[in-house]
């Protein structure tokens, strides 16, 4: 059975395996492409086409071309092929498709690049929501794959980088991962092959496709200025915008003939115009870099970072290299293939989880690797406190496990009954990206009820323990100290 890692990306996906001597190898498609466009075309007779051929198949029928499904993972939205867009709810079961279904189509395509693939490690953004992670696992199941674990994309990149022959890392490494649809920045303490993740920040709606749309907006504005009408956003124009973005990575300006509603027009765009158009995204990137360096109040300086590693196809934009160099006071490292590093790291991690199936050479190649992951969220429960002004109980979010805690971890906090003869306590498990006390700003990801014996007095202690393991499952248990009554639930976080 193959040892497999998959990078299921917004714009491109890749599959990698460990070769016979333990090195990760990204597998090419039948068309000999090492990365596969995360694009699905569904024909009128329900034939599924994935990858490069999906783009060409949909030229005459663009409403049936589905892109950027990763941004919809975990949502209730579905793709409506009549409208050619994502819509709320399953309005028409014959013409709508869930994000999980589309992702499963991509995964089925990837797993056919090799034989006997049943178990897999799949990468996800560092701050992917719990519903998005569950949707990814559901998609894998629909594709006939068992997910050994999900691994965060920046962590996978560090795994790959630290295992490149001749590379010896020492100190704090910052991974700057800017892909087609998501951005992550992670700091890890690395000593050789010992990787200790410290903290992560990210934005699930910031990536190269956003840059493409800003270039399209420039095209539309210039077309309207000359012709009187703006352009309607569609796949053809966005493809031109992506081409312009790539050209501006190596040239100061470029021109394209745009065939719009009022006839063709040659439009010139300069690199300076492009950079100005994505200014708000660059500001968000800087803010997330600052937040990562802040490290929850344990401030790190750029001088504390030994190396900055670029990952993700969108880091090819020169302005990104300039931004990182200016912020970190030194140029970033370009020591890996930015399109393949994440999939390669996932394959290494799959090997770590499947040591019993490795040959001697593979075991030797990864024998010294140690990976210490962290929690990327604050995890807590709803509790009651007395409002000083009203002297009434009010709800608040009580944090039990703090963000960036090392995994595995287990924390117990004491809570107390608030009235005599309380019959039960409804326990809500909460998750938030920031340290929130307001219940309106947290997600409830699990619930269970602890029954109390008759006559339980006010102020009786309830011990609540959250135990979060490396597989991404948090076991939540509450015990009534006087009677020993216990109840629990398991919540999948990773």
């Amino acid at each position: 059975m193959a040892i497999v890692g998959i990078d299921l990306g917004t714009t491109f996906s890749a599959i990698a395996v460990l070769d016979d001597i333990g090195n990760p190898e990204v597998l090419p498609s039948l068309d000999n492409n090492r990365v596969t466009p995360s694009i699905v075309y569904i024909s009128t007779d329900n034939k599924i086409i994935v990858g490069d051929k999906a783009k060409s198949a949909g030229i005459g029928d663009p409403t049936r071309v589905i892109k950027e499904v990763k941004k919809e993972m975990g949502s209730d939205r579905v793709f409506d092929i009549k409208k050619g867009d994502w819509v709320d709810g399953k309005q028409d079961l014959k013409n709508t498709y869930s994000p999980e279904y589309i992702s499963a189509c991509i995964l089925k395509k990837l797993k056919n690049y090799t034989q006997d693939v049943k178990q897999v490690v799949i990468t996800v953004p560092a701050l992917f929501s719990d519903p998005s992670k569950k949707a990814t696992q559901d998609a894998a199941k629909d594709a006939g794959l068992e997910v050994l674990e999900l691994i965060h994309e920046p962590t996978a990149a560090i795994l790959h980088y630290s295992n490149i022959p001749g590379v010896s890392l020492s100190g704090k490494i910052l991974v700057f991962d800017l892909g087609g649809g998501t951005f992550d920045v992670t700091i890890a303490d690395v000593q050789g092959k010992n990787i200790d993740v410290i903290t992560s920040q990210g934005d699930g709606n910031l990536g190269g496709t956003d840059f493409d749309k800003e270039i399209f907006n420039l095209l539309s504005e210039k077309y309207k200025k000359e012709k009187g009408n703006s352009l309607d956003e569609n796949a053809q124009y966005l493809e031109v915008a992506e081409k312009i973005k790539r050209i501006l990575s190596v040239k100061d300006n470029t021109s394209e003939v745009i065939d719009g509603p009022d006839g063709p027009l040659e439009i010139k765009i300069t690199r300076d115009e492009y950079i100005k158009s994505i200014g708000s995204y660059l500001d968000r990137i800087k803010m997330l870099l600052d937040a990562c360096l802040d490290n929850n109040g344990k401030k790190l300086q750029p001088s504390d970072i030994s190396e900055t590693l670029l990952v993700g196809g969108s880091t090819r934009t020169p302005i990104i290299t300039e931004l990182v160099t200016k912020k970190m006071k030194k140029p970033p490292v370009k020591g890996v293939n930015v399109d393949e590093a994440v999939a390669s790291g996932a394959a290494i991690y799959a090997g770590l989880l499947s040591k019993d199936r490795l040959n001697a050479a593979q075991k030797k190649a990864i024998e010294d690797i140690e990976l210490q992951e962290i929690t990327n969220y604050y995890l807590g429960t709803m509790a009651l406190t007395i409002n000083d002004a009203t002297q009434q109980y009010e709800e608040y979010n009580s944090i039990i496990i703090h963000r960036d805690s090392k995994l595995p971890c287990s924390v117990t906090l004491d809570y107390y009954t608030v009235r005599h003869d309380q019959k039960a306590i409804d326990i809500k498990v909460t998750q938030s990206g920031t340290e929130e006390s307001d219940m309106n700003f947290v997600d409830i990801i699990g619930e269970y009820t602890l029954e109390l014996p008759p006559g339980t007095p006010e102020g009786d202690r309830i011990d609540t323990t959250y135990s979060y393991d490396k597989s991404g499952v948090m076991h939540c248990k509450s015990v009534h100290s006087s009677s020993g009554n216990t109840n629990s639930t398991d919540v999948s976080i990773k």
Side-chain angles (χ1 to χ4, degrees):
M1 191 185 302
I3 311 295
V4 171
I6 289 179
D7 174 12
L8 186 62
T10 305
T11 53
F12 290 95
S13 295
I15 180 171
V17 299
L18 285 186
D19 65 17
D20 290 341
I21 59 174
N23 293 323
E25 177 187 4
V26 175
L27 301 176
S29 67
L30 298 176
D31 302 318
N32 210 33
N33 295 323
R34 292 168 68 85
V35 293
T36 297
S38 302
I39 301 174
V40 174
Y41 172 77
I42 301 178
S43 68
T44 53
D45 59 354
N46 288 323
K47 182 180 179 181
I48 305 296
I49 301 175
V50 178
D52 290 298
K53 292 182 179 179
K55 295 170 69 175
S56 55
I59 290 175
D61 197 0
T63 62
R64 292 179 172 271
V65 177
I66 307 171
K67 300 180 179 181
E68 299 183 35
V69 63
K70 186 173 180 176
K71 289 187 174 183
E72 302 295 337
M73 294 297 279
S75 76
D76 294 327
R77 283 153 59 87
V78 293
F79 191 88
D80 189 328
I81 56 176
K82 288 185 176 180
K83 297 180 179 178
D85 203 356
W86 294 95
V87 298
D88 293 329
K90 294 184 178 180
Q91 300 175 352
D92 182 351
L93 293 177
K94 292 183 179 179
N95 295 291
T96 59
Y97 300 87
S98 70
E100 294 87 345
Y101 177 83
I102 300 303
S103 291
C105 293
I106 297 170
L107 290 169
K108 287 177 184 177
K109 172 83 171 179
L110 293 170
K111 80 172 189 177
N112 286 333
Y113 295 174
T114 187
Q115 295 181 338
D116 198 23
V117 178
K118 293 184 176 64
Q119 295 179 318
V120 65
V121 166
I122 299 178
T123 65
V124 293
L127 271 75
F128 225 28
S129 69
D130 182 58
S132 300
K133 291 175 181 177
K134 185 179 184 305
T136 302
Q137 291 173 317
D138 290 342
K141 184 177 180 180
D142 290 345
L145 295 168
E146 177 191 351
V147 178
L148 293 171
E149 278 191 31
L150 302 177
I151 183 173
H152 298 141
E153 290 161 4
T155 305
I158 297 176
L159 264 178
H160 171 53
Y161 185 47
S162 65
N163 280 274
I164 295 175
V167 171
S168 180
L169 299 179
S170 177
K172 291 180 173 61
I173 308 299
L174 186 146
V175 180
F176 184 102
D177 183 359
L178 183 62
T182 59
F183 171 64
D184 286 318
V185 55
T186 291
I187 297 174
D189 226 331
V190 183
Q191 300 296 329
K193 295 186 178 183
N194 188 317
I195 302 165
D196 188 352
V197 178
I198 298 172
T199 188
S200 293
Q201 292 286 337
D203 189 328
N205 291 292
L206 196 168
T209 57
D210 298 298
F211 299 173
D212 298 343
K213 289 174 183 177
E214 292 303 326
I215 292 177
F216 164 77
N217 290 337
L218 284 174
L219 293 171
S220 183
E221 288 169 10
K222 293 192 174 196
Y223 188 89
K224 183 178 180 179
K225 184 177 180 180
E226 292 293 327
K227 295 285 192 176
N229 285 309
S230 57
L231 304 172
D232 291 330
E233 184 179 312
N234 61 38
Q236 181 181 355
Y237 292 144
L238 288 174
E239 200 164 310
V240 172
E242 184 186 5
K243 177 184 175 183
I244 290 171
K245 180 182 68 177
R246 292 199 305 268
I247 293 172
L248 291 177
S249 294
V250 294
K251 296 176 65 177
D252 291 332
N253 61 75
T254 185
S255 297
E256 288 291 332
V257 176
I258 302 300
D259 191 5
D262 297 318
L265 175 69
E266 184 175 5
I267 299 177
K268 178 181 176 181
I269 292 180
T270 68
R271 183 184 290 179
D272 287 343
E273 288 176 317
Y274 164 51
I275 292 171
K276 183 178 179 181
S277 75
I278 62 172
S280 63
Y281 294 108
L282 298 178
D283 288 341
R284 283 162 62 184
I285 287 172
K286 292 173 188 175
M287 289 173 60
L288 288 165
L289 267 172
D290 285 336
C292 201
L293 288 168
D294 182 67
N295 188 22
N296 288 321
K298 303 171 185 176
K299 188 72 175 177
L300 293 171
Q301 300 299 324
S303 57
D304 295 322
I305 306 299
S306 300
E307 295 182 27
T308 298
L309 176 65
L310 297 185
V311 180
S314 296
T315 58
R316 290 191 177 92
T317 302
I319 187 60
I320 296 300
T321 301
E322 293 171 18
L323 183 155
V324 172
T325 300
K326 185 175 181 179
K327 185 67 182 176
M328 304 308 297
K329 314 298 184 188
K330 52 182 172 288
V333 174
K334 297 181 179 179
V336 298
N337 184 313
V338 295
D339 295 318
E340 300 179 5
V342 171
S344 296
I348 293 171
Y349 193 54
L352 289 173
L353 298 176
S354 312
K355 287 184 178 179
D356 58 322
R357 289 162 36 205
L358 302 182
N359 62 34
Q362 290 171 326
K363 287 179 181 177
K364 183 173 180 57
I366 65 172
E367 64 181 354
D368 296 327
I369 297 175
E370 293 184 23
L371 175 62
Q372 173 65 69
E373 268 282 25
I374 57 168
T375 64
N376 283 314
Y377 297 96
Y378 292 91
L379 302 160
T381 187
M382 186 190 77
L384 298 176
T385 188
I386 293 286
N387 184 302
D388 291 336
T390 65
Q391 290 299 300
Q392 300 293 316
Y393 281 113
E394 61 181 29
E395 296 176 351
Y396 78 103
N397 181 48
S398 173
I399 294 171
I400 297 177
I401 293 180
H402 285 253
R403 179 177 170 161
D404 293 342
S405 297
K406 305 296 183 185
L407 296 180
C409 62
S410 183
V411 178
T412 300
L413 291 184
D414 296 335
Y415 299 90
Y416 300 88
T417 55
V418 297
R419 64 179 181 274
H420 178 70
D421 201 25
Q422 192 170 337
K423 304 299 183 186
I425 298 175
D426 293 324
I427 299 161
K428 301 182 188 300
V429 183
T430 64
Q431 174 182 291
S432 60
T434 55
E435 196 168 0
E436 294 286 352
S437 59
D438 191 331
M439 287 297 296
N440 292 312
F441 297 102
V442 302
D443 294 321
I444 296 173
I445 59 173
E447 298 185 53
Y448 59 105
T449 299
L450 177 64
E451 302 290 343
L452 301 175
T456 296
E458 178 183 346
D460 240 21
R461 194 176 82 240
I462 308 295
D463 300 323
T464 295
T465 302
Y466 284 6
S467 300
Y468 191 170
D469 62 33
K470 286 186 176 181
S471 69
V473 175
M474 187 169 69
H475 186 67
C476 309
K477 182 173 72 172
S478 295
V479 180
H480 179 223
S481 60
S482 298
S483 67
N485 285 9
T486 301
N487 201 6
S488 62
T489 190
D490 288 344
V491 180
S492 177
I493 308 292
K494 194 170 181 179

